[in-house]
Amino acid sequence: MNYKMELTAEQAAILNGEQGETMAKVMKTLVMYGEAFGATKMVPVTSEKGHLVTSFGLKVMTPVYDLMDQLINAGITSKQKFSVDPKPVDPKVPSNFIKNFVFNKFMYTKQDSYDEQLRKLGLVSDDAYTCTCYMDQVGNLPKKGDVLSWAESSAVVYANSVLGARCNRNSGIIELFGSIVGYVPYFGLVTDEGRKATWVVEVKCSKKPEAQVLGSAIGMKVMEDVPYVKGLTEWIGTELNDDAKAYLKDFGAATASNGAVGLYHIAGLTPEAVEMGEDIIAENAQVYVVDDAELERVKASYPVMWKDPDKAPQLCFIGCPHLSLQQLKEWTDNVCEGLKKNGRAKVSIPTVFTAAPAVCDEFNKTEYAARLAATGVTLSYICPLMYMNNPVAKKGRVITNSNKLRTYTTSRYYTSEEILDIITKGVK
């Protein structure tokens, strides 16, 4: 292969087939991918674990299953054990005969066999299915400066921004190739220059901005660029505690889905912003001011894709990305208090909270679990997005406080406060 990239002797040997034809193809793919983005070299993946975005056994993904078989038959396993995005189906989630028939007989018919392929390639464990692999209970927590090979957009932006790791917004399968070979191309957010902020966002709100709406506004404005956000620590503090991390998880997911942000810096809070201050801002950075009116404008711009917008919702999803343990506890308290205030015993519409299997297990050990179950809320490990992305589910009137779910599906966005009011007071 003719390539411009400067490869080490070991990397060139892999490319030239010394570890077999299949491994050579994996390296060739990564080199071609890197050269398309101007990468000059490959650098080692240094994180302890990888993460894979393709978790769903869709019948139409035959090329992926064939590729996995090629890797397995060649005796290849990932150099890094990996976690994987959430599964699309959970029998506990409110459903009906038609949905179950479509899911099990037409859409996700390859789920069991694909799960087995993932185990053979290096899946960490059967409870490692989550988009929030960095939760303490899951254990895939990169360190500052670690180079990753991930693709899940909400995980990439969290790892880059909150943890100070380094990862590009890769595509599915490319992430697996990087974990298999142990190298990724050196470009973009892996480089020092690529991590500089090209936008300065000035938050000038009279109250704490909703994480999902603020992230949405910034994502739609800066797109794939890197924003440096000022004025937010007034509302979320200067310590990366559980509250701040949960806020930034949801904020970042909105920037990544409503735009294509892979890294943001929060003045006085995130690692590189604390370490470098405004030196991390590139020359001639553009400025975007976000105030109450701007957030209202952004929220009002969201389309309602229901056939009949005036009808009551039929289902509510909270947890895209997956909720943290603390968020589960807070939502339980809020739902219980809301129901008591409104004289209700159970939520007014079927409601699903989603979290990583390991987080659900930990939650179920607490007294909160029984309290939540008593409200009628379902706790699940599924991916709401994959649940919604099918001809049957997308016809339903689903509400959510997730801007990611709102963007990629027909679900309707409400703020967390509005959602709480709907599910505890009832709808007319």
Side-chain angles (χ1 to χ4, degrees):
M1 174 186 173
N2 294 321
Y3 55 87
K4 301 175 183 177
M5 193 180 295
E6 181 181 341
L7 301 181
T8 66
E10 179 187 359
Q11 294 162 359
I14 296 172
L15 185 62
N16 292 327
E18 290 191 13
Q19 293 187 25
E21 181 182 359
T22 302
M23 188 67 91
K25 289 180 179 178
V26 171
M27 179 60 89
K28 179 180 179 180
T29 302
L30 288 171
V31 170
M32 292 175 67
Y33 170 61
E35 292 203 334
F37 288 94
T40 56
K41 62 181 179 179
M42 305 283 281
V43 292
V45 175
T46 60
S47 60
E48 182 182 346
K49 296 172 185 173
H51 185 79
L52 190 61
V53 73
T54 49
S55 59
F56 33 90
L58 281 169
K59 186 177 181 179
V60 297
M61 288 174 51
T62 301
V64 171
Y65 310 135
D66 291 344
L67 172 62
M68 296 298 194
D69 278 338
Q70 287 185 49
L71 295 170
I72 292 166
N73 293 337
I76 293 173
T77 56
S78 176
K79 280 186 169 60
Q80 298 179 299
K81 293 285 188 179
F82 54 84
S83 51
V84 67
D85 263 19
K87 291 187 179 185
V89 178
D90 179 358
K92 298 195 303 293
V93 172
S95 190
N96 56 42
F97 175 80
I98 295 176
K99 283 182 184 178
N100 292 336
F101 186 76
V102 169
F103 287 172
N104 298 322
K105 299 298 182 181
F106 289 97
M107 290 193 65
Y108 301 116
T109 57
K110 297 293 185 180
Q111 192 65 51
D112 290 344
S113 59
Y114 184 48
D115 288 342
E116 184 58 30
Q117 287 181 318
L118 294 176
R119 291 187 196 101
K120 290 178 179 178
L121 283 168
L123 180 64
V124 173
S125 65
D126 288 342
D127 67 353
Y129 286 83
T130 177
C131 52
T132 56
C133 58
Y134 44 80
M135 292 293 173
D136 291 340
Q137 294 80 11
V138 182
N140 188 353
L141 187 67
K143 301 184 296 294
K144 183 177 182 295
D146 271 347
V147 175
L148 319 180
S149 184
W150 293 5
E152 161 56 45
S153 62
S154 67
V156 167
V157 72
Y158 186 92
N160 274 324
S161 310
V162 181
L163 303 179
R166 298 195 169 205
C167 185
N168 281 310
R169 283 177 54 112
N170 298 306
S171 64
I173 304 302
I174 284 288
E175 59 189 338
L176 178 62
F177 284 3
S179 288
I180 286 173
V181 173
Y183 296 102
V184 291
Y186 184 71
F187 72 93
L189 300 177
V190 179
T191 70
D192 291 341
E193 189 64 27
R195 298 179 72 82
K196 288 187 175 181
T198 52
W199 281 86
V200 174
V201 178
E202 299 178 357
V203 176
K204 297 183 177 181
C205 298
S206 63
K207 60 182 180 179
K208 183 178 181 179
E210 187 81 6
Q212 297 276 357
V213 182
L214 178 62
S216 169
I218 293 173
M220 287 192 285
K221 187 70 173 182
V222 310
M223 296 306 292
E224 76 279 7
D225 290 345
V226 178
Y228 181 92
V229 184
K230 296 180 176 182
L232 191 55
T233 53
E234 176 183 349
W235 306 110
I236 64 174
T238 56
E239 180 185 350
L240 282 172
N241 53 28
D242 287 344
D243 285 336
K245 287 187 286 188
Y247 185 97
L248 294 179
K249 167 180 70 74
D250 295 336
F251 163 84
T255 69
S257 58
N258 286 205
V261 174
L263 165 66
Y264 58 80
H265 303 290
I266 308 296
L269 182 60
T270 54
E272 287 159 288
V274 170
E275 182 180 296
M276 298 180 63
E278 295 194 2
D279 288 344
I280 205 163
I281 302 172
E283 291 185 14
N284 302 316
Q286 300 181 74
V287 177
Y288 175 43
V289 177
V290 179
D291 55 16
D292 297 341
E294 176 66 355
L295 293 184
E296 283 299 319
R297 181 195 67 79
V298 168
K299 183 171 178 285
S301 73
Y302 301 153
V304 178
M305 302 180 70
W306 296 357
K307 185 177 180 180
D308 190 341
D310 295 326
K311 285 192 174 181
Q314 299 168 311
L315 180 64
C316 174
F317 273 119
I318 297 171
C320 180
H322 276 170
L323 297 170
S324 68
L325 180 60
Q326 177 172 310
Q327 285 179 308
L328 278 176
K329 292 178 178 179
E330 289 175 350
W331 269 103
T332 300
D333 282 339
N334 291 339
V335 169
C336 290
E337 290 171 9
L339 291 174
K340 182 178 179 180
K341 175 184 175 182
N342 292 306
R344 298 182 63 95
K346 294 184 180 294
V347 289
S348 62
I349 60 172
T351 300
V352 182
F353 291 176
T354 65
V359 173
C360 292
D361 289 345
E362 193 65 27
F363 178 78
N364 285 332
K365 296 175 185 177
T366 71
E367 54 90 15
Y368 288 88
R371 292 174 57 206
L372 183 65
T375 69
V377 171
T378 299
L379 178 61
S380 175
Y381 51 75
I382 68 164
C383 172
L385 198 157
M386 292 310 302
Y387 175 92
M388 288 287 296
N389 269 332
N390 64 81
V392 180
K394 75 177 185 180
K395 292 180 180 179
R397 297 186 298 277
V398 177
I399 61 173
T400 184
N401 67 337
S402 164
N403 235 315
K404 179 173 184 177
L405 188 60
R406 190 273 309 173
T407 301
Y408 293 136
T409 72
T410 58
S411 57
R412 185 173 184 172
Y413 178 82
Y414 288 96
T415 66
S416 295
E417 184 177 349
E418 291 168 337
I419 289 279
L420 183 63
D421 193 53
I422 292 170
I423 64 176
T424 62
K425 181 181 292 185
V427 289
K428 297 180 181 180

